[in-house]
Amino acid sequence: MKQFTNFIFIIVLVPLLFGIQQAIAKEWTKSQNLKHQLRESIELTEPISTLPISLTDRNGEIFAEEYVEWRDPLQLNEIPVFLIDLFLESEDKGFYEHRGYDVAAIVRAFTVNTANDDLQQGGSTITQQLVRLRFLTTEKTYERKFKELLYAAELENQSTKDEILEMYLNEMYFGNQVYGIGAAATYYFNRPLNELSHAEMAFIAAIPNNPSRYDPLRHFDRTKKRQELLLSLLTKSGAITENEAGLWKKEPITLNLKEKANEFTMYSSFVLSELEELVGHTEGFLESIERTESLEEKEFHRNALKKRTAEVIAKGVRIETALNPQKQKQDETSLSSLLAKSGVQAGAVVIDNKSREIVTIYGGKDYKKADFNRAYQAVRQPGSAIKPLLVYAPFFESGPYDESTLIDSSNLCIAAYCPKNIGGYTYGMTSVKDAFRYSHNTAAVRILSKVGIESAFSYLEPFEFNNVNETDHTYPAALGGFQKGVSPLELASAYTSFIDGTFELPHAIRRVVGRDGAVLYTWQNEPKVVWSPSTVSTIRDLMEDVVLYGTGKGINYSTNYTGAKTGTTDRYKDLWVAGMNENYTTAVWIGYDKPASIQGLSNQKIHLRAFNELMKD
């Protein structure tokens, strides 16, 4: 009977044990999944933050910065031992012993908070604080605290103590949108951390405990009091002597706040635009955009380029430029003064002849950051300023012609197109020199016809005019009659080909450097031969003649050479001058943003006066 009872018991127990085993296996799987999910959830990736970028001029001086949060990350070996000791002593004495959390501190905090029926004491280790900064919120609830413990333990598994401490010191919040001990030094004292005194270091170390309460801009006395408390703490631990603490407490603290560099916004806005072009050129995005015919694919590659550029900017880079700060300031002041009472706008670019770099940019009167920049965004018909590039230089390239060659400047009609000369004047046979000097329209159209429209436009291809296309391949183009037109930057760039017959796209950016000093991007353009020496010599002579005797009379002959070509569109809606002297090449456009006649200003030669200002050294 007893054996039978045992047998029945075993029979009943087997499925029960099997069920328990299955439940244990299920819970084990859950725990492993939870562990896997936990590890994935706090995989150590870079925090989502944007580091500051700086723009430097040709002398290496910072003239513009872009950031919302001020950060200046440092490696642990760049942070003074005094500061490390101070944070360890005040925040987490057992940092190098615990596994991410301190049980004794948690019990102590729980006891205090229970007695007060409120969570007032945290008991968090440095690892827990870092977890809170990176992955969690700052709310004081037991649920969040439990998550914090789990995350802290896993973070300790994935990182060394030194790595955790370095991340913590670089991510602490110091108020006023300042993150990290290095950034706090440069923001509050305008000096790098290693140049601060012990008293100053202790002062900024007082802030993170409660950035609002210890904000030195609003509560300086509170911050100073906590600084003294921290110094006293170090004396108790033996890290510093009483005498040192006393001296540092008495040391006067004088804040010297960092001011965000924000000069020459006309130039900096273009630099940031060029950065995207540089990234696209270097990493093949622009080639992909040009190669595909699908509009959807083009848009895909454009979006990918914008995303990639944003990633580059977010990492914090230094963009070294060719900006000439003295000349930029001079050009901005002089052109804005010239335009002050006229009501019109202007856009201009100045390029250094030797380096082929963009040294100044004028984006418009009363320009503010992120405004429409007329130097490179305003696309207008160039009028006769296009003639040297599209008409005369191709003409000289196509045969044995020179400035003495005769050309018919009488009236003509090609189909329904009947161009007129300025003022409606009629001429007969004239030399190329006279036709160029006085900008005869009929002669220009005849020359374009002789060269051939397609042949003439082929000479524009190296200049990469963004808005010139096959719809512009018509006879009115000889007079600048494009569907859209060109920008001052594009026209000035093309005119640099008349320096010596070679061309490479001028740029503002010299190189882009990462935080570690590595060169990330630089232009690698090779100059192309565009014009023969004889064509360059003839065009330069013709432009010089314009300045001395033609439509450019009024331009100052400032160096051993000055040459230019003027341009005017229908009803004087746009005024142009493009040309060069020995030092610079420029193109300046003047007009209303909403096109309207400015004939009165043309009579006052405002465009020639603007050119004069831009040619000054």
Side-chain angles (χ1 to χ4, degrees), residues 88 92-98 102 161:
L88 290 176
D92 191 355
K93 291 182 181 180
F95 173 70
Y96 280 99
E97 283 74 43
H98 62 63
D102 186 336
K161 287 289 187 179

Side-chain angles (χ1 to χ4, degrees), residues 203-358:
F203 185 84
I204 58 175
I207 302 171
N209 182 265
N210 190 327
S212 297
R213 178 175 177 78
Y214 299 117
D215 181 352
L217 304 188
R218 294 186 298 160
H219 307 297
F220 183 90
D221 292 341
R222 290 180 187 172
T223 316
K224 184 68 175 72
K225 187 175 180 180
R226 178 163 174 79
Q227 174 233 33
E228 294 174 2
L229 180 66
L230 292 175
L231 290 172
S232 296
L233 197 63
L234 288 183
T235 61
K236 292 179 182 178
S237 69
I240 62 175
T241 66
E242 290 280 358
N243 184 52
E244 287 173 327
L247 289 174
W248 296 339
K249 287 177 184 179
K250 291 178 182 178
E251 182 180 318
I253 299 294
T254 304
L255 298 179
N256 179 21
L257 296 183
K258 167 185 169 51
E259 292 185 9
K260 187 175 184 179
N262 193 30
E263 290 188 281
F264 310 128
T265 54
M266 298 183 189
Y267 195 94
S268 63
S269 68
F270 172 71
V271 170
L272 295 177
S273 174
E274 187 182 294
L275 175 62
E276 182 174 307
E277 182 185 352
L278 176 55
V279 172
H281 177 80
T282 305
E283 300 191 8
F285 290 99
L286 296 182
E287 184 180 350
S288 297
I289 293 170
E290 187 176 349
R291 188 171 57 242
T292 183
E293 295 183 1
S294 167
L295 294 178
E296 289 184 359
E297 288 186 19
K298 285 182 182 292
E299 187 65 19
F300 171 80
H301 292 305
R302 289 192 188 100
N303 290 335
L305 171 56
K306 289 184 181 298
K307 181 179 179 181
R308 175 58 183 147
T309 306
E311 291 173 353
V312 172
I313 291 174
K315 291 179 181 177
V317 294
R318 184 178 74 251
I319 306 176
E320 300 175 0
T321 77
L323 171 70
N324 182 330
Q326 293 77 24
K327 181 166 173 54
Q328 177 72 34
K329 185 175 182 179
Q330 173 183 294
D331 290 354
E332 287 185 18
T333 301
S334 59
L335 263 64
S336 293
S337 177
L338 184 64
L339 300 173
K341 297 179 181 179
S342 65
V344 296
Q345 278 291 358
V349 171
V350 178
I351 299 168
D352 184 280
N353 287 350
K354 291 181 180 178
S355 65
R356 307 290 176 97
E357 295 174 318
I358 301 168

Side-chain angles (χ1 to χ4, degrees), residues 525-588:
N525 295 334
E526 290 294 329
K528 304 174 183 177
V529 176
V530 179
W531 313 117
S532 66
S534 61
T535 294
V536 172
S537 177
T538 304
I539 290 292
R540 288 174 67 90
D541 287 347
L542 291 173
M543 291 198 300
E544 183 177 36
D545 184 74
V546 166
V547 171
L548 295 175
Y549 308 110
T551 57
K553 197 171 183 180
I555 290 176
N556 295 333
Y557 203 88
S558 53
T559 63
N560 290 333
Y561 174 82
T562 301
K565 184 70 185 78
T566 60
T568 307
T569 58
D570 288 347
R571 300 184 182 87
Y572 295 90
K573 293 177 181 177
D574 306 278
L575 299 178
W576 289 86
V577 185
M580 65 189 68
N581 63 13
E582 283 192 330
N583 302 319
Y584 303 116
T585 298
T586 190
V588 55

Side-chain angles (χ1 to χ4, degrees), residues 48-53 66-72 173 176-179 183 260:
I48 301 174
S49 58
T50 300
L51 297 177
I53 66 172
E66 297 289 333
Y67 60 85
V68 176
E69 302 170 347
W70 178 242
R71 296 176 182 266
D72 189 11
Y173 184 51
N176 299 295
Q177 296 303 108
V178 177
Y179 291 83
K260 187 175 184 179

